[in-house]
Amino acid sequence: MFTGIVECTAKVHQLNREKNNICITFNNPFLNKKIQINQSICHNGICLSIMNINKKTYSVIASEETLLCTNLNFLKIQDEVNLERGMMLHERLNGHIVQGHVDTIARIIKIENRNGSWLFFFKSKTKLNHRIVKKGSIAINGVSLTIITCNQYIFNVSILPYTYETTNFHLMKIGDMVNIEFDILGKYIHQSIQRFWKNNRKTF
């Protein structure tokens, strides 16, 4: 479980195709912090487990299912990825609950410089009905953000200077694909309402 507050970034060091999976090796930015085999780390919003560690790099494996629903197929060597280790229960939840389970991907269609912040506009591959709400939470490449406006396919968020500089948002450009995770609380509420109406439609 994560919070959407990115700790740091890492560059892709190596990409190796292993049957239908991809082994991704990153430069290790956690040299002075303890990480271990099988530890889960959020990479651009994707929960992946460490398979191998050495002094300068560590590796993870992305399965075929993960590759189908995320932007990992677009990764190139030297690309920069947002990282967050699993949250600790005794710490403040400064973002929102992020599982690291990507729901869909979206394309950047517009970036506006607002003289102190940036507005990023995204177009989702899937309909956003009942998935997001104005002023609600969303995770974009693992970053916890607040939705400003939204319609069936398009939504936007505001990026402040600290987030812009310390995540890979400063490298993003129009046409780039990003990973999207919708708010888990909203997903559970929507499913509960659907089940309620399905079970009680004859009554109403």
Side-chain angles (χ1 to χ4, degrees):
M1 198 72 69
F2 309 94
T3 67
I5 305 299
V6 172
E7 288 187 77
C8 57
T9 62
K11 289 186 177 181
V12 177
H13 179 72
Q14 195 170 356
L15 294 165
N16 293 310
R17 177 72 67 170
E18 297 182 357
K19 296 183 178 179
N20 291 333
N21 307 324
I22 291 181
C23 178
I24 310 168
T25 301
F26 295 95
N27 295 327
N28 186 359
F30 298 111
L31 296 178
N32 298 319
K33 300 174 183 178
K34 185 178 179 181
I35 59 172
Q36 58 190 23
I37 301 295
N38 285 333
Q39 180 175 347
S40 294
I41 294 180
C42 196
H43 300 76
N44 268 3
I46 309 161
C47 179
L48 298 170
S49 297
I50 297 174
M51 307 303 294
N52 183 51
I53 306 172
N54 63 38
K55 289 184 178 180
K56 294 185 178 180
T57 65
Y58 72 89
S59 300
V60 298
I61 292 179
S63 68
E64 180 182 18
E65 172 63 23
T66 301
L67 296 173
L68 287 173
C69 64
T70 69
N71 65 2
L72 287 181
N73 278 314
F74 301 99
L75 270 188
K76 304 181 298 297
I77 291 174
Q78 291 299 305
D79 276 358
E80 204 164 310
V81 172
N82 296 326
L83 301 180
E84 181 191 356
R85 291 173 296 166
M87 70 177 181
M88 301 177 71
L89 293 179
H90 67 275
E91 294 184 343
R92 291 183 179 90
L93 181 61
N94 290 314
H96 73 283
I97 296 173
V98 176
Q99 293 183 296
H101 302 161
V102 172
D103 292 298
T104 188
I105 56 177
R107 185 183 300 276
I108 300 173
I109 58 172
K110 186 179 180 182
I111 302 172
E112 291 183 2
N113 188 328
R114 289 298 182 92
N115 193 26
S117 65
W118 291 261
L119 280 183
F120 279 73
F121 294 76
F122 301 89
K123 185 172 183 179
S124 172
K125 287 189 66 177
T126 57
K127 278 190 176 182
L128 300 172
N129 300 19
H130 312 298
R131 294 173 179 262
I132 64 175
V133 294
K134 184 177 179 180
K135 306 303 181 185
S137 296
I138 194 167
I140 301 175
N141 270 7
V143 183
S144 175
L145 295 164
T146 301
I147 296 160
I148 299 176
T149 61
C150 55
N151 61 32
Q152 277 198 336
Y153 288 97
I154 296 172
F155 67 94
N156 66 345
V157 297
S158 178
I159 306 297
L160 296 174
Y162 180 81
T163 302
Y164 186 82
E165 294 296 338
T166 58
T167 70
N168 60 13
F169 265 94
H170 67 280
L171 300 172
M172 293 181 189
K173 57 186 183 300
I174 293 172
D176 284 352
M177 304 297 292
V178 297
N179 295 317
I180 301 296
E181 180 183 334
F182 303 116
D183 185 3
I184 183 62
L185 298 179
K187 288 190 284 188
Y188 275 124
I189 292 169
H190 176 57
Q191 181 174 279
S192 296
I193 291 172
Q194 282 187 317
R195 286 178 177 173
F196 173 83
W197 283 110
K198 182 178 180 179
N199 295 331
N200 296 277
R201 56 188 175 187
K202 291 183 179 178
T203 305
F204 293 94

